[in-house]
Amino acid sequence: MATRKLLLATLWLAAAASMAPAVSSAGVSIDIDVAPPPARVEVVPDARPGWVWAPGYWAWDGHQHAWTGGHWIRERRGYHWVPDAWVGNGPHYHYMRGHWER
């Protein structure tokens, strides 16, 4: 009897899992031929324990660069913040989203 209940529970869980929506992720790559303006000078506020300052950067809004101001993000112990950046490659510029690295 216990084996039958275990089998039914396993089949029920497998059926439920197959009906769950699939999780997907899509990466967006931005490559443009318009150089970003020079970075703006920001006054970085005094350090806050447990937080890291993410500096401002030029975002691409589909038509032009738009400044996104710096902001505080919660610290991740053992990691450091790599800021958003535009990487030049000949006449093209590739956007590298800010991220955490070990």
XYZ file of all heavy atoms in Angstrom:
818
model
N 0.819 -1.193 0.000
C 0.000 0.000 0.000
C 0.867 1.262 0.000
O 0.569 2.205 -0.705
C -0.919 -0.027 1.219
C -1.947 1.071 1.208
S -3.053 0.933 -0.177
C -4.563 1.396 0.547
N 1.947 1.282 0.805
C 2.826 2.449 0.871
C 3.537 2.667 -0.460
O 3.726 3.799 -0.884
C 3.844 2.280 1.998
N 3.904 1.554 -1.109
C 4.571 1.678 -2.408
C 3.628 2.292 -3.432
O 4.028 3.121 -4.248
C 5.043 0.291 -2.890
O 5.869 -0.290 -1.897
C 5.813 0.397 -4.183
N 2.370 1.908 -3.383
C 1.378 2.449 -4.321
C 1.186 3.951 -4.083
O 1.122 4.736 -5.033
C 0.054 1.706 -4.166
C -0.975 2.162 -5.145
C -2.220 1.341 -5.065
N -3.190 1.881 -5.996
C -4.467 1.644 -5.941
N -4.955 0.847 -5.013
N -5.277 2.167 -6.814
N 1.113 4.372 -2.808
C 0.969 5.791 -2.483
C 2.191 6.579 -2.964
O 2.065 7.675 -3.501
C 0.764 5.995 -0.985
C -0.600 5.621 -0.506
C -0.744 5.916 0.973
C -2.121 5.556 1.459
N -2.287 5.829 2.887
N 3.372 6.005 -2.772
C 4.592 6.665 -3.213
C 4.602 6.797 -4.735
O 4.955 7.851 -5.270
C 5.824 5.882 -2.732
C 7.183 6.454 -3.124
C 7.358 7.860 -2.563
C 8.294 5.554 -2.639
N 4.193 5.747 -5.431
C 4.134 5.786 -6.885
C 3.135 6.842 -7.366
O 3.425 7.633 -8.264
C 3.765 4.407 -7.446
C 3.612 4.323 -8.959
C 4.927 4.644 -9.644
C 3.118 2.954 -9.372
N 1.952 6.884 -6.746
C 0.947 7.877 -7.119
C 1.440 9.300 -6.841
O 1.237 10.204 -7.648
C -0.367 7.616 -6.380
C -1.168 6.404 -6.879
C -2.356 6.147 -5.962
C -1.622 6.608 -8.305
N 2.097 9.507 -5.704
C 2.623 10.830 -5.367
C 3.698 11.253 -6.366
O 3.737 12.400 -6.821
C 3.193 10.833 -3.948
N 4.561 10.319 -6.743
C 5.617 10.612 -7.719
C 5.014 10.969 -9.070
O 5.430 11.943 -9.711
C 6.566 9.404 -7.859
O 7.105 9.094 -6.578
C 7.694 9.713 -8.828
N 4.023 10.206 -9.521
C 3.365 10.496 -10.792
C 2.655 11.840 -10.744
O 2.690 12.611 -11.707
C 2.380 9.374 -11.150
C 3.023 8.041 -11.553
C 1.948 6.976 -11.718
C 3.843 8.197 -12.810
N 2.020 12.140 -9.619
C 1.312 13.415 -9.484
C 2.303 14.580 -9.552
O 2.076 15.559 -10.241
C 0.535 13.446 -8.170
C -0.263 14.695 -8.017
C -1.494 14.943 -8.512
C 0.149 15.892 -7.345
N -1.891 16.217 -8.192
C -0.893 16.821 -7.475
C 1.284 16.266 -6.649
C -0.832 18.099 -6.940
C 1.344 17.527 -6.113
C 0.293 18.427 -6.259
N 3.435 14.468 -8.849
C 4.445 15.519 -8.875
C 5.041 15.687 -10.269
O 5.272 16.811 -10.726
C 5.558 15.223 -7.870
C 5.191 15.447 -6.405
C 6.307 14.926 -5.503
C 4.929 16.901 -6.138
N 5.288 14.585 -10.969
C 5.829 14.671 -12.326
C 4.836 15.364 -13.255
O 5.209 16.194 -14.087
C 6.170 13.279 -12.847
N 3.547 15.032 -13.110
C 2.520 15.660 -13.947
C 2.415 17.150 -13.629
O 2.310 17.981 -14.534
C 1.176 14.974 -13.734
N 2.473 17.507 -12.359
C 2.379 18.914 -11.961
C 3.591 19.693 -12.483
O 3.462 20.818 -12.962
C 2.277 19.034 -10.445
N 4.760 19.086 -12.410
C 5.968 19.761 -12.889
C 5.919 19.974 -14.393
O 6.403 20.981 -14.909
C 7.206 18.957 -12.507
N 5.326 19.035 -15.118
C 5.271 19.196 -16.568
C 4.298 20.300 -16.973
O 4.381 20.827 -18.074
C 4.872 17.871 -17.239
O 3.519 17.555 -16.946
N 3.376 20.655 -16.092
C 2.424 21.721 -16.397
C 2.923 23.088 -15.953
O 2.356 24.102 -16.307
C 1.069 21.437 -15.728
C 0.358 20.246 -16.329
S -1.274 20.019 -15.640
C -0.874 19.294 -14.059
N 3.969 23.113 -15.167
C 4.513 24.387 -14.695
C 5.105 25.151 -15.870
O 5.656 24.557 -16.794
C 5.588 24.139 -13.627
N 4.978 26.482 -15.851
C 5.542 27.253 -16.965
C 7.055 27.118 -16.998
O 7.711 27.055 -15.965
C 5.121 28.688 -16.660
C 4.792 28.699 -15.215
C 4.356 27.311 -14.853
N 7.580 27.052 -18.170
C 9.032 26.954 -18.330
C 9.671 28.295 -17.993
O 9.147 29.343 -18.332
C 9.357 26.560 -19.767
N 10.787 28.240 -17.322
C 11.525 29.447 -16.985
C 12.547 29.677 -18.086
O 13.310 28.791 -18.443
C 12.233 29.299 -15.624
C 13.074 30.523 -15.328
C 11.224 29.058 -14.532
N 12.526 30.870 -18.627
C 13.498 31.183 -19.675
C 14.129 32.524 -19.391
O 13.574 33.347 -18.678
C 12.822 31.205 -21.047
O 11.878 32.241 -21.094
N 15.277 32.714 -19.950
C 15.926 34.007 -19.812
C 16.375 34.456 -21.192
O 16.780 33.649 -22.019
C 17.116 33.924 -18.861
O 18.096 33.073 -19.397
N 16.263 35.729 -21.408
C 16.674 36.293 -22.684
C 17.677 37.395 -22.422
O 17.462 38.263 -21.593
C 15.465 36.854 -23.426
N 18.779 37.339 -23.101
C 19.773 38.382 -22.976
C 19.584 39.392 -24.098
O 19.300 39.019 -25.231
N 19.701 40.634 -23.758
C 19.584 41.683 -24.766
C 20.965 42.264 -24.986
O 21.624 42.696 -24.051
C 18.606 42.786 -24.307
C 18.575 43.911 -25.312
C 17.217 42.209 -24.091
N 21.403 42.241 -26.223
C 22.706 42.779 -26.577
C 22.495 44.096 -27.304
O 21.689 44.165 -28.228
C 23.446 41.786 -27.466
O 24.705 42.285 -27.816
N 23.205 45.130 -26.876
C 23.080 46.435 -27.513
C 24.412 46.790 -28.148
O 25.432 46.895 -27.471
C 22.670 47.520 -26.499
C 21.334 47.170 -25.862
C 22.610 48.882 -27.175
C 20.902 48.111 -24.768
N 24.391 46.945 -29.464
C 25.552 47.378 -30.232
C 25.113 48.549 -31.093
O 24.136 48.437 -31.837
C 26.083 46.253 -31.117
C 26.688 45.132 -30.292
O 27.785 45.339 -29.747
O 26.050 44.065 -30.181
N 25.814 49.671 -30.972
C 25.444 50.877 -31.718
C 26.675 51.497 -32.352
O 27.802 51.118 -32.043
C 24.726 51.897 -30.804
C 25.627 52.295 -29.631
C 23.388 51.354 -30.313
C 25.067 53.385 -28.758
N 26.444 52.452 -33.221
C 27.539 53.164 -33.884
C 27.690 54.600 -33.382
O 28.320 55.415 -34.035
C 27.306 53.184 -35.404
C 27.349 51.796 -36.007
O 27.991 50.911 -35.422
O 26.735 51.583 -37.067
N 27.084 54.889 -32.226
C 27.116 56.239 -31.655
C 27.892 56.192 -30.341
O 27.481 55.515 -29.401
C 25.686 56.769 -31.391
C 25.735 58.166 -30.810
C 24.853 56.713 -32.660
N 29.004 56.889 -30.297
C 29.819 56.896 -29.077
C 29.062 57.564 -27.941
O 28.361 58.556 -28.148
C 31.119 57.642 -29.328
N 29.176 57.022 -26.722
C 28.542 57.691 -25.589
C 29.285 58.984 -25.265
O 30.488 59.092 -25.501
C 28.685 56.675 -24.454
C 29.860 55.844 -24.834
C 29.879 55.797 -26.334
N 28.576 59.971 -24.725
C 29.253 61.193 -24.279
C 30.197 60.870 -23.111
O 30.107 59.791 -22.525
C 28.094 62.081 -23.793
C 26.868 61.504 -24.396
C 27.134 60.040 -24.558
N 31.076 61.793 -22.761
C 31.934 61.555 -21.585
C 31.075 61.356 -20.339
O 29.994 61.929 -20.220
C 32.753 62.843 -21.474
C 32.662 63.489 -22.819
C 31.350 63.074 -23.398
N 31.570 60.541 -19.436
C 30.835 60.291 -18.188
C 30.645 61.595 -17.427
O 31.506 62.482 -17.457
C 31.581 59.287 -17.325
N 29.523 61.720 -16.787
C 29.277 62.898 -15.947
C 30.006 62.732 -14.626
O 30.216 61.620 -14.152
C 27.783 63.050 -15.678
C 27.017 63.468 -16.897
C 25.584 63.774 -16.525
N 24.854 64.232 -17.697
C 23.556 64.468 -17.704
N 22.845 64.292 -16.607
N 22.968 64.886 -18.802
N 30.357 63.836 -14.039
C 30.995 63.802 -12.726
C 29.889 63.727 -11.686
O 28.995 64.567 -11.662
C 31.880 65.049 -12.496
C 32.448 65.047 -11.091
C 32.988 65.108 -13.534
N 29.934 62.703 -10.869
C 28.949 62.534 -9.805
C 29.640 62.682 -8.453
O 30.764 62.220 -8.286
C 28.309 61.145 -9.852
C 27.396 60.912 -11.008
C 26.718 59.558 -10.906
O 27.412 58.546 -10.731
O 25.490 59.528 -10.997
N 28.961 63.292 -7.529
C 29.456 63.356 -6.161
C 28.976 62.079 -5.481
O 27.771 61.855 -5.339
C 28.918 64.603 -5.425
C 29.378 64.594 -3.979
C 29.372 65.862 -6.144
N 29.918 61.237 -5.130
C 29.576 59.968 -4.493
C 29.302 60.229 -3.016
O 30.148 60.783 -2.317
C 30.712 58.937 -4.660
C 30.366 57.635 -3.980
C 31.010 58.725 -6.135
N 28.118 59.831 -2.544
C 27.804 60.034 -1.124
C 28.754 59.239 -0.223
O 29.427 58.317 -0.686
C 26.373 59.502 -0.995
C 25.844 59.413 -2.385
C 27.032 59.218 -3.280
N 28.790 59.598 1.049
C 29.601 58.862 2.014
C 29.200 57.393 2.017
O 28.032 57.055 1.798
C 29.421 59.439 3.428
C 30.031 60.825 3.553
O 30.943 61.148 2.770
O 29.580 61.594 4.427
N 30.194 56.538 2.286
C 29.963 55.094 2.295
C 28.866 54.712 3.281
O 28.708 55.348 4.327
C 31.257 54.368 2.647
N 28.110 53.686 2.904
C 27.054 53.141 3.767
C 27.372 51.675 4.022
O 27.529 50.912 3.066
C 25.700 53.242 3.069
C 25.222 54.652 2.872
C 23.966 54.713 2.028
N 22.898 53.865 2.560
C 21.739 53.675 1.940
N 21.507 54.249 0.780
N 20.818 52.902 2.472
N 27.461 51.265 5.281
C 27.759 49.856 5.575
C 26.711 48.940 4.934
O 25.510 49.183 5.026
C 27.684 49.775 7.103
C 27.882 51.181 7.575
C 27.317 52.063 6.501
N 27.198 47.890 4.249
C 26.297 46.924 3.633
C 25.806 47.324 2.248
O 24.997 46.627 1.652
N 26.295 48.456 1.737
C 25.867 48.947 0.421
C 27.079 49.296 -0.431
O 28.139 49.620 0.077
C 24.982 50.184 0.573
C 23.699 49.884 1.264
C 23.494 49.835 2.620
C 22.454 49.559 0.672
N 22.195 49.509 2.890
C 21.527 49.337 1.699
C 22.027 49.442 -0.657
C 20.214 48.998 1.456
C 20.707 49.113 -0.890
C 19.809 48.888 0.151
N 26.904 49.237 -1.752
C 27.955 49.567 -2.712
C 27.395 50.610 -3.674
O 26.241 50.515 -4.097
C 28.384 48.305 -3.504
C 29.356 48.639 -4.612
C 28.974 47.271 -2.564
N 28.198 51.600 -4.015
C 27.770 52.633 -4.948
C 27.963 52.133 -6.381
O 29.065 51.753 -6.772
C 28.562 53.910 -4.739
C 28.170 55.009 -5.671
C 28.877 55.462 -6.753
C 26.979 55.794 -5.615
N 28.190 56.476 -7.366
C 27.016 56.701 -6.686
C 25.876 55.813 -4.768
C 26.006 57.610 -6.928
C 24.871 56.729 -5.010
C 24.937 57.610 -6.069
N 26.890 52.109 -7.155
C 26.954 51.783 -8.588
C 26.963 53.114 -9.331
O 25.968 53.846 -9.308
C 25.763 50.943 -9.001
N 28.077 53.476 -9.961
C 28.156 54.786 -10.608
C 27.196 54.923 -11.788
O 26.765 53.933 -12.378
C 29.605 54.871 -11.077
C 30.133 53.495 -11.056
C 29.290 52.696 -10.121
N 26.882 56.177 -12.110
C 26.009 56.459 -13.233
C 26.654 56.071 -14.555
O 27.870 55.853 -14.638
N 25.825 55.968 -15.591
C 26.316 55.575 -16.912
C 25.351 56.090 -17.985
O 24.232 56.486 -17.703
C 26.440 54.047 -17.015
C 25.119 53.336 -16.850
C 24.364 52.956 -17.964
C 24.604 53.054 -15.591
C 23.140 52.331 -17.823
C 23.386 52.426 -15.439
C 22.661 52.065 -16.560
O 21.443 51.455 -16.418
N 25.816 56.079 -19.216
C 24.979 56.471 -20.340
C 24.235 55.238 -20.850
O 24.846 54.275 -21.306
C 25.814 57.075 -21.462
C 26.334 58.427 -21.133
C 27.613 58.748 -20.781
C 25.597 59.649 -21.114
N 27.708 60.096 -20.539
C 26.484 60.677 -20.747
C 24.266 59.983 -21.368
C 26.087 62.004 -20.621
C 23.871 61.304 -21.254
C 24.776 62.292 -20.879
N 22.917 55.250 -20.766
C 22.081 54.169 -21.289
C 21.628 54.560 -22.701
O 21.603 55.735 -23.050
C 20.868 53.952 -20.389
N 21.284 53.592 -23.508
C 20.776 53.841 -24.854
C 19.269 53.652 -24.816
O 18.775 52.593 -24.421
C 21.420 52.879 -25.845
C 20.994 53.116 -27.250
C 20.157 52.333 -27.990
C 21.364 54.206 -28.094
N 19.997 52.865 -29.239
C 20.728 54.022 -29.338
C 22.174 55.321 -27.930
C 20.876 54.905 -30.401
C 22.318 56.202 -28.982
C 21.677 55.992 -30.201
N 18.508 54.706 -25.187
C 17.042 54.607 -25.124
C 16.403 54.224 -26.462
O 15.202 54.316 -26.625
C 16.432 55.904 -24.581
C 16.524 57.074 -25.554
O 16.993 56.889 -26.694
O 16.126 58.187 -25.163
N 17.219 53.797 -27.409
C 16.722 53.425 -28.717
C 16.956 54.489 -29.768
O 16.926 54.216 -30.962
N 17.207 55.727 -29.298
C 17.431 56.840 -30.220
C 18.658 57.661 -29.856
O 19.285 58.268 -30.703
C 16.209 57.768 -30.252
C 14.951 57.057 -30.601
N 14.665 56.635 -31.875
C 13.900 56.678 -29.838
C 13.489 56.028 -31.875
N 13.006 56.036 -30.662
N 18.954 57.700 -28.568
C 20.073 58.518 -28.105
C 20.519 58.031 -26.726
O 19.841 57.245 -26.082
C 19.671 59.989 -28.009
C 18.572 60.239 -27.002
C 18.105 61.683 -27.001
O 18.557 62.488 -27.795
N 17.199 62.012 -26.110
N 21.661 58.538 -26.293
C 22.149 58.210 -24.954
C 21.382 59.040 -23.926
O 21.103 60.213 -24.155
C 23.648 58.514 -24.839
C 24.499 57.585 -25.633
N 24.794 56.311 -25.214
C 25.118 57.732 -26.833
C 25.563 55.726 -26.112
N 25.766 56.563 -27.111
N 21.050 58.403 -22.816
C 20.357 59.088 -21.719
C 21.086 58.730 -20.421
O 21.371 57.557 -20.167
C 18.902 58.628 -21.655
N 21.383 59.743 -19.620
C 22.128 59.525 -18.385
C 21.268 58.826 -17.346
O 20.123 59.178 -17.104
C 22.639 60.841 -17.821
C 23.459 60.652 -16.581
C 23.084 60.927 -15.300
C 24.778 60.117 -16.510
N 24.098 60.599 -14.445
C 25.158 60.093 -15.156
C 25.677 59.646 -17.469
C 26.394 59.628 -14.737
C 26.910 59.188 -17.034
C 27.259 59.182 -15.688
N 21.857 57.806 -16.722
C 21.245 57.098 -15.602
C 22.140 57.363 -14.407
O 23.317 56.977 -14.423
C 21.153 55.581 -15.881
O 20.372 55.375 -17.052
C 20.536 54.848 -14.713
N 21.615 58.036 -13.401
C 22.418 58.413 -12.244
C 22.834 57.227 -11.395
O 22.197 56.174 -11.405
N 23.923 57.418 -10.671
C 24.414 56.384 -9.767
C 23.417 56.113 -8.649
O 22.544 56.918 -8.352
N 23.567 54.956 -8.032
C 22.645 54.565 -6.959
C 23.303 53.507 -6.070
O 24.282 52.881 -6.453
C 21.337 54.021 -7.550
C 21.536 52.821 -8.428
N 21.950 52.928 -9.738
C 21.418 51.497 -8.175
C 22.053 51.720 -10.263
N 21.752 50.830 -9.336
N 22.738 53.344 -4.894
C 23.224 52.342 -3.949
C 22.609 50.991 -4.275
O 21.441 50.907 -4.607
C 22.853 52.718 -2.520
C 23.590 53.903 -1.991
C 23.075 55.152 -1.799
C 24.945 53.969 -1.582
N 24.048 55.998 -1.310
C 25.209 55.283 -1.159
C 25.983 53.040 -1.538
C 26.452 55.682 -0.698
C 27.225 53.448 -1.077
C 27.448 54.763 -0.666
N 23.424 49.937 -4.182
C 22.906 48.573 -4.308
C 23.419 47.774 -3.116
O 24.491 48.052 -2.576
C 23.339 47.901 -5.632
C 24.850 47.993 -5.843
C 22.602 48.499 -6.811
C 25.349 47.302 -7.090
N 22.615 46.818 -2.694
C 22.988 46.022 -1.514
C 24.243 45.197 -1.812
O 24.356 44.583 -2.854
C 21.845 45.109 -1.088
C 22.137 44.448 0.252
C 20.919 43.843 0.907
N 19.871 44.790 1.246
C 19.845 45.547 2.349
N 20.846 45.519 3.191
N 18.829 46.330 2.590
N 25.162 45.232 -0.875
C 26.432 44.522 -0.997
C 26.208 43.005 -1.082
O 25.291 42.472 -0.468
C 27.282 44.838 0.242
C 28.585 44.107 0.321
C 29.315 44.394 1.619
O 28.663 44.406 2.681
O 30.528 44.620 1.559
N 27.051 42.340 -1.864
C 27.083 40.873 -1.904
C 28.468 40.462 -1.436
O 29.458 40.694 -2.129
C 26.842 40.360 -3.323
C 25.420 40.545 -3.777
C 25.201 39.963 -5.142
N 25.376 38.513 -5.109
C 25.381 37.747 -6.190
N 25.219 38.280 -7.385
N 25.543 36.445 -6.097
N 28.526 39.899 -0.266
C 29.831 39.529 0.308
C 30.558 38.548 -0.609
O 29.960 37.631 -1.145
C 29.642 38.912 1.684
C 29.159 39.916 2.702
C 29.281 39.360 4.106
N 28.653 40.232 5.065
C 29.253 41.272 5.612
N 30.491 41.566 5.294
N 28.617 42.023 6.492
N 31.856 38.797 -0.795
C 32.672 37.946 -1.640
C 32.639 38.353 -3.107
O 33.263 37.705 -3.940
N 31.891 39.413 -3.429
C 31.778 39.884 -4.809
C 32.155 41.361 -4.878
O 32.123 42.063 -3.882
C 30.335 39.743 -5.320
C 29.889 38.317 -5.525
C 29.449 37.552 -4.451
C 29.898 37.746 -6.790
C 29.022 36.247 -4.638
C 29.476 36.449 -6.984
C 29.038 35.702 -5.900
O 28.621 34.409 -6.097
N 32.468 41.829 -6.076
C 32.666 43.259 -6.294
C 31.815 43.671 -7.493
O 31.542 42.871 -8.390
C 34.143 43.618 -6.492
C 34.726 43.098 -7.767
N 35.216 41.826 -7.894
C 34.877 43.679 -8.983
C 35.652 41.644 -9.128
N 35.455 42.755 -9.823
N 31.377 44.920 -7.491
C 30.506 45.444 -8.538
C 31.333 45.908 -9.730
O 32.274 46.678 -9.586
C 29.660 46.597 -8.007
C 28.757 47.183 -9.037
C 28.870 48.397 -9.641
C 27.607 46.564 -9.608
N 27.856 48.569 -10.547
C 27.059 47.464 -10.550
C 26.973 45.331 -9.423
C 25.920 47.168 -11.296
C 25.842 45.047 -10.165
C 25.329 45.954 -11.079
N 30.980 45.425 -10.921
C 31.592 45.876 -12.171
C 30.583 46.823 -12.813
O 29.475 46.400 -13.164
C 31.896 44.690 -13.114
C 32.476 45.189 -14.433
C 32.836 43.701 -12.435
N 30.901 48.108 -12.942
C 29.929 49.088 -13.427
C 29.527 48.881 -14.893
O 30.260 48.287 -15.680
C 30.644 50.426 -13.285
C 31.856 50.183 -12.476
C 32.175 48.726 -12.572
N 28.354 49.412 -15.230
C 27.894 49.435 -16.615
C 28.934 50.180 -17.444
O 29.540 51.145 -16.965
C 26.561 50.181 -16.716
C 25.462 49.510 -15.923
O 25.507 49.557 -14.675
O 24.563 48.946 -16.539
N 29.138 49.741 -18.681
C 30.159 50.379 -19.519
C 29.868 50.153 -20.998
O 29.188 49.192 -21.371
C 31.541 49.808 -19.182
N 30.390 51.051 -21.807
C 30.371 50.909 -23.257
C 31.776 50.531 -23.684
O 32.742 51.191 -23.332
C 29.953 52.207 -23.933
C 28.509 52.497 -23.759
C 27.940 53.293 -22.805
C 27.449 51.993 -24.550
N 26.581 53.305 -22.957
C 26.245 52.512 -24.027
C 27.369 51.138 -25.655
C 24.993 52.210 -24.567
C 26.129 50.842 -26.189
C 24.961 51.375 -25.653
N 31.888 49.447 -24.460
C 33.187 48.983 -24.929
C 33.277 49.264 -26.425
O 32.432 48.806 -27.201
C 33.354 47.471 -24.660
C 34.698 46.980 -25.176
C 33.209 47.182 -23.171
N 34.289 50.046 -26.809
C 34.477 50.385 -28.213
C 35.145 49.265 -28.976
O 36.045 48.600 -28.471
N 34.675 49.046 -30.205
C 35.269 48.049 -31.097
C 35.221 48.631 -32.502
O 34.214 48.492 -33.190
C 34.513 46.728 -31.012
C 35.156 45.647 -31.862
O 36.272 45.805 -32.336
N 34.443 44.559 -32.062
N 36.272 49.340 -32.887
C 36.253 50.042 -34.168
C 35.212 51.156 -34.101
O 35.166 51.907 -33.134
N 34.328 51.238 -35.099
C 33.304 52.293 -35.083
C 32.059 51.904 -34.275
O 31.096 52.645 -34.221
C 32.949 52.444 -36.563
C 33.159 51.076 -37.119
C 34.350 50.514 -36.360
N 32.076 50.743 -33.638
C 30.902 50.235 -32.918
C 31.135 50.284 -31.407
O 32.271 50.246 -30.934
C 30.600 48.801 -33.336
C 30.535 48.613 -34.808
N 29.522 49.117 -35.584
C 31.380 47.982 -35.651
C 29.741 48.807 -36.842
N 30.873 48.121 -36.918
N 30.048 50.318 -30.675
C 30.102 50.332 -29.211
C 29.143 49.272 -28.682
O 27.991 49.197 -29.105
C 29.721 51.716 -28.663
C 30.731 52.746 -29.085
C 30.598 53.407 -30.298
C 31.836 53.022 -28.301
C 31.539 54.330 -30.717
C 32.788 53.930 -28.712
C 32.630 54.578 -29.922
O 33.574 55.476 -30.333
N 29.654 48.458 -27.758
C 28.861 47.377 -27.172
C 28.598 47.704 -25.708
O 29.526 48.033 -24.965
C 29.603 46.047 -27.289
C 28.889 44.909 -26.659
N 27.764 44.337 -27.207
C 29.121 44.258 -25.500
C 27.344 43.375 -26.414
N 28.149 43.303 -25.368
N 27.340 47.591 -25.297
C 26.955 47.880 -23.913
C 27.169 46.654 -23.037
O 26.680 45.571 -23.345
C 25.488 48.305 -23.857
C 24.967 48.470 -22.450
C 25.431 49.499 -21.639
C 24.016 47.608 -21.935
C 24.965 49.656 -20.351
C 23.533 47.756 -20.644
C 24.019 48.779 -19.866
O 23.547 48.930 -18.583
N 27.925 46.834 -21.957
C 28.146 45.785 -20.965
C 27.399 46.169 -19.698
O 27.744 47.167 -19.047
C 29.640 45.641 -20.656
C 30.504 45.298 -21.868
S 30.222 43.648 -22.493
C 30.832 42.688 -21.140
N 26.379 45.425 -19.371
C 25.553 45.703 -18.202
C 26.363 45.507 -16.923
O 27.200 44.608 -16.841
C 24.351 44.773 -18.214
C 23.366 45.027 -17.124
C 22.165 44.099 -17.293
N 21.161 44.396 -16.321
C 20.163 45.252 -16.518
N 20.030 45.862 -17.662
N 19.290 45.472 -15.571
N 26.125 46.348 -15.913
C 26.783 46.208 -14.624
C 26.431 44.864 -13.998
O 25.319 44.374 -14.172
N 27.374 44.279 -13.281
C 27.142 42.952 -12.706
C 28.117 42.695 -11.551
O 29.094 43.413 -11.379
C 27.298 41.880 -13.788
C 28.655 41.880 -14.423
N 28.998 42.764 -15.437
C 29.758 41.131 -14.186
C 30.243 42.531 -15.788
N 30.728 41.564 -15.044
N 27.814 41.658 -10.806
C 28.673 41.232 -9.704
C 29.667 40.192 -10.202
O 29.313 39.342 -11.003
C 27.843 40.613 -8.590
C 26.962 41.588 -7.874
C 25.624 41.769 -8.051
C 27.356 42.521 -6.883
N 25.168 42.753 -7.240
C 26.205 43.230 -6.498
C 28.568 42.839 -6.282
C 26.240 44.233 -5.533
C 28.598 43.830 -5.312
C 27.440 44.512 -4.950
N 30.897 40.275 -9.712
C 31.921 39.261 -9.996
C 32.593 38.855 -8.706
O 32.722 39.653 -7.789
C 32.984 39.798 -10.966
C 32.544 39.850 -12.389
C 33.693 40.223 -13.332
O 34.834 40.445 -12.870
O 33.416 40.317 -14.532
N 33.056 37.618 -8.670
C 33.813 37.129 -7.504
C 35.222 37.651 -7.548
O 35.813 37.838 -8.526
C 33.855 35.610 -7.497
C 32.590 35.036 -6.941
C 32.816 33.553 -6.621
N 31.608 33.019 -6.079
C 31.368 32.891 -4.780
N 32.288 33.215 -3.909
N 30.235 32.419 -4.359
